[in-house]
Amino acid sequence: MFFLEEEEYRLRVQYLHLAVLLCIGILLACAGYEVHEMEQAAQIVNRAGLVRGRTQLLVKQEIAGRPTAALAAELDDRLEQLDQGVQEGADFYIDDGTYMKRLAELNVLWQRLKEARETFQQTGDSGPLLAISEEHFDTADAVVNAAEHYSFRCGYRLFQVGGALAILILVIFAEAVSHAARERRLQQSNQDLRRLAYLDVKTSLPNKTACERVLEQHAVSEKCAGCLCMMMDLNDLKRLNDSLGH
């Protein structure tokens, strides 16, 4: 029965180890995913921030009468990169509905801003251009905020994964302490069993089993030549035990 219980305990420990390792693997995979998503969001924040600032520079240079064709082409490229990043598998992509909605609004406003720029070049009226540029700035800011909020959510989930890993580490530590304590108890029990098997409980002297074991060891030894075994018997020992106790 003891051996069956010990075997069952070892199987439970093995299953626990496998479950813990599986959980750690899953949590590490989740942590890697969240880190990747935070990196993607950081790229979007950087690109959208550049679009926000460069668009304001474009409007100022346009009103000041400076050449803006190169800057407009640069903004076309940057917005196209952001728009392509919405497609999964691109260099930067976050699966966030608010961000995608704001980015679509930003693209519409950019087209309106280019139309207002052409109108300004023809009529010299800067009112519509300034109005749309302010709206474009606010929308670009909303795109940046959406990407930052997504990154914050990824960071919070990463913190939760770290907490789960810490709990698993505590579980492993507790199981290791419990296993060590069990091994110590088992070792002490084995020592007690050996002592009880070969020593008399009351006198702590070698019992009959211990004597037989010593005789068996000498019987198969080459040193048994010349050995003598002497047996002694006490008369009326039963009466002493019955009257005075064992």
Side-chain angles (χ1 to χ4, degrees), residues 233-246:
D233 190 15
L234 298 178
N235 295 329
D236 297 328
L237 181 60
K238 183 177 184 305
R239 187 176 63 178
L240 292 174
N241 288 337
D242 293 339
S243 60
L244 300 179
H246 291 270

Side-chain angles (χ1 to χ4, degrees), residues 132-230:
I132 296 176
S133 69
E134 290 298 324
E135 189 176 356
H136 185 278
F137 179 87
D138 292 340
T139 305
D141 194 55
V143 171
V144 172
N145 290 335
E148 288 178 342
H149 290 162
Y150 181 83
S151 180
F152 292 154
R153 292 196 299 272
C154 292
Y156 178 71
R157 290 193 295 268
L158 185 62
F159 174 77
Q160 290 178 317
V161 170
L165 284 172
I167 292 174
L168 284 178
I169 291 173
L170 289 176
V171 169
I172 293 173
F173 178 77
E175 191 278 330
V177 171
S178 175
H179 182 71
R182 180 183 174 88
E183 290 296 328
R184 285 196 298 269
R185 291 194 300 269
L186 182 60
Q187 186 178 14
Q188 184 62 43
S189 298
N190 290 335
Q191 292 177 354
D192 293 342
L193 288 174
R194 285 194 295 268
R195 182 176 57 82
L196 293 174
Y198 298 110
L199 296 178
D200 183 74
V201 178
K202 294 186 177 299
T203 64
S204 296
L205 295 173
N207 57 14
K208 178 183 177 183
T209 304
C211 293
E212 290 177 349
R213 184 183 181 188
V214 171
L215 290 174
E216 289 176 357
Q217 290 175 350
H218 283 286
V220 297
S221 174
E222 296 178 356
K223 299 179 181 179
C224 64
C227 294
L228 175 66
C229 178
M230 183 175 63

Side-chain angles (χ1 to χ4, degrees), residues 3-245:
F3 293 105
L4 289 176
E5 292 178 354
E6 183 66 19
E7 183 66 22
E8 183 180 353
Y9 169 76
R10 293 185 183 278
L11 285 175
R12 287 202 302 267
V13 170
Q14 290 178 359
Y15 291 148
L16 176 62
H17 289 170
L18 290 175
V20 169
L21 289 176
L22 179 61
C23 291
I24 290 176
I26 293 174
L27 289 174
L28 289 177
C30 292
Y33 173 78
E34 297 300 340
V35 170
H36 175 72
E37 290 296 294
M38 291 175 68
E39 292 175 350
Q40 301 286 73
Q43 291 188 49
I44 291 173
V45 169
N46 180 54
R47 294 169 186 267
L50 285 173
V51 168
R52 178 179 56 187
R54 301 291 283 177
T55 303
Q56 292 298 302
L57 178 62
L58 171 72
V59 173
K60 291 178 181 179
Q61 289 186 353
E62 186 69 41
I63 294 176
R66 299 175 183 175
T68 58
L71 187 55
E74 176 191 337
L75 286 169
D76 276 329
D77 291 340
R78 292 188 180 279
L79 283 167
E80 183 179 358
Q81 290 173 1
L82 281 174
D83 192 49
Q84 290 176 352
V86 173
Q87 302 301 320
E88 189 172 0
D91 293 337
F92 48 96
Y93 165 80
I94 56 175
D95 187 11
D96 183 74
T98 301
Y99 163 74
M100 294 180 181
K101 179 180 178 181
R102 298 304 182 194
L103 182 59
E105 294 174 354
L106 186 65
N107 285 321
V108 172
L109 285 171
W110 172 243
Q111 297 301 323
R112 290 177 56 194
L113 185 64
K114 289 195 294 185
E115 294 174 358
R117 174 169 164 263
E118 294 177 357
T119 301
F120 170 74
Q121 292 174 350
Q122 296 172 359
T123 63
D125 184 8
S126 62
L129 179 62
L130 290 174
I132 296 176
S133 69
E134 290 298 324
E135 189 176 356
H136 185 278
F137 179 87
D138 292 340
T139 305
D141 194 55
V143 171
V144 172
N145 290 335
E148 288 178 342
H149 290 162
Y150 181 83
S151 180
F152 292 154
R153 292 196 299 272
C154 292
Y156 178 71
R157 290 193 295 268
L158 185 62
F159 174 77
Q160 290 178 317
V161 170
L165 284 172
I167 292 174
L168 284 178
I169 291 173
L170 289 176
V171 169
I172 293 173
F173 178 77
E175 191 278 330
V177 171
S178 175
H179 182 71
R182 180 183 174 88
E183 290 296 328
R184 285 196 298 269
R185 291 194 300 269
L186 182 60
Q187 186 178 14
Q188 184 62 43
S189 298
N190 290 335
Q191 292 177 354
D192 293 342
L193 288 174
R194 285 194 295 268
R195 182 176 57 82
L196 293 174
Y198 298 110
L199 296 178
D200 183 74
V201 178
K202 294 186 177 299
T203 64
S204 296
L205 295 173
N207 57 14
K208 178 183 177 183
T209 304
C211 293
E212 290 177 349
R213 184 183 181 188
V214 171
L215 290 174
E216 289 176 357
Q217 290 175 350
H218 283 286
V220 297
S221 174
E222 296 178 356
K223 299 179 181 179
C224 64
C227 294
L228 175 66
C229 178
M230 183 175 63
M231 300 182 62
M232 299 178 63
D233 190 15
L234 298 178
N235 295 329
D236 297 328
L237 181 60
K238 183 177 184 305
R239 187 176 63 178
L240 292 174
N241 288 337
D242 293 339
S243 60
L244 300 179

